[in-house]
Amino acid sequence: VEQMRAAAMRSVLIVVAIVCGVTAMLYPVILRLTRRLADYSSSLLDANLETLAVLGSAIAKRDADTDAHNYRVALYAVRLGEAIDLDAEAMRGLIKGAFIHDVGKIGIPDAVLRKPGRLDAEEVRIMQTHVELGVEIVNRASWLRDGIPVVAGHHEKYDGGGYPHGARAQEIPLAARIFAIVDVFDALTSERPYKKPLGFEETMAILNQGRGAHFDPSLLNVFGGIARELYETYAGPAGGGLRTALSAAV
């Protein structure tokens, strides 16, 4: 019995020694492969985000705007999402949707998209089709599909008075309700070819006029608590500060 125990112990020790030896040899290889995979994943993410930025910039330039708008609304949306504890998966969809919310404008004729004056009824109808066009475009890329709620719903209004479906209240995706607030906030506080930027107090007064009509009241309350900091930090600049801040948030 003692001999059998000793033999068994030797066998166990030999097996442990072999396992340890193999592990010692394989560990550097596995570690190197894991690091390489992580690098590839990071590079792929960077490439996808750059594609988003380029696409959003192309849309903004065609719409006679600057790509700073896309960076600001994406950053504002992230901050509002953080303030309501939006989970990571929903946040990723919100960021993608914010960058490409107006992608459907690629399909709108220049005569309508860049008309300097007020649009007539038929031109308004044509302009509104950019939502369906955007959904159709985004739906072709599986990596972008979680941004569809923003693309499809950013012109809906809380009281049902928006388009294209006249959705109301909770029927409107949360990401779209978040984006509606930050999109209007940026539009009001930014300089455009046809308007000067509004001040913070005037902008918030206009947003509050839309409480319960255009905007989700509970989300607007939360945004009111972070809006001044966003305005003082990011409203107006068109440079790298926005890109750096958004990159850190992403």
Side-chain angles (χ1 to χ4, degrees), residues 44-213:
L44 178 60
L45 175 61
D46 289 342
N48 285 336
L49 292 173
E50 286 176 359
T51 301
L52 272 180
V54 169
L55 181 58
S57 178
I59 300 161
K61 297 294 185 184
R62 186 170 185 270
D63 196 19
D65 200 354
T66 68
D67 58 354
H69 168 70
N70 287 326
Y71 284 94
R72 275 196 300 267
V73 293
L75 185 58
Y76 294 165
V78 166
R79 296 305 183 217
L80 181 51
E82 290 173 343
I84 63 170
D85 295 323
L86 198 65
D87 64 73
E89 182 178 357
M91 191 75 83
R92 288 192 290 271
L94 177 61
I95 292 171
K96 295 173 192 177
F99 259 112
I100 57 175
H101 62 281
D102 275 339
V103 64
K105 288 184 177 180
I106 290 175
I108 302 299
D110 282 347
V112 175
L113 184 64
R114 309 190 72 168
K115 182 178 178 179
R118 182 180 294 274
L119 302 180
D120 61 33
E122 177 59 19
E123 290 168 337
V124 169
R125 186 196 66 78
I126 293 173
M127 179 65 81
Q128 290 179 349
T129 64
H130 82 274
V131 174
E132 286 93 346
L133 290 172
V135 172
E136 180 182 345
I137 292 169
V138 175
N139 199 40
R140 296 177 183 176
S142 60
W143 187 74
L144 295 177
R145 285 176 188 156
D146 53 347
I148 287 179
V150 174
V151 177
H154 69 284
H155 282 297
E156 300 287 2
K157 295 184 178 180
Y158 196 74
D159 64 358
Y163 67 89
H165 302 299
R168 58 185 301 147
Q170 305 304 313
E171 296 173 352
I172 306 171
L174 176 58
R177 283 180 276 139
I178 290 173
F179 185 78
I181 295 173
V182 301
D183 190 32
V184 173
F185 178 79
D186 184 64
L188 294 174
T189 58
S190 299
E191 183 174 1
R192 300 291 172 83
Y194 52 86
K195 63 175 275 296
K196 295 293 184 181
L198 300 183
F200 177 77
E201 300 297 342
E202 187 176 1
T203 295
M204 294 307 297
I206 293 174
L207 289 181
N208 281 308
Q209 288 174 5
R211 177 184 301 273

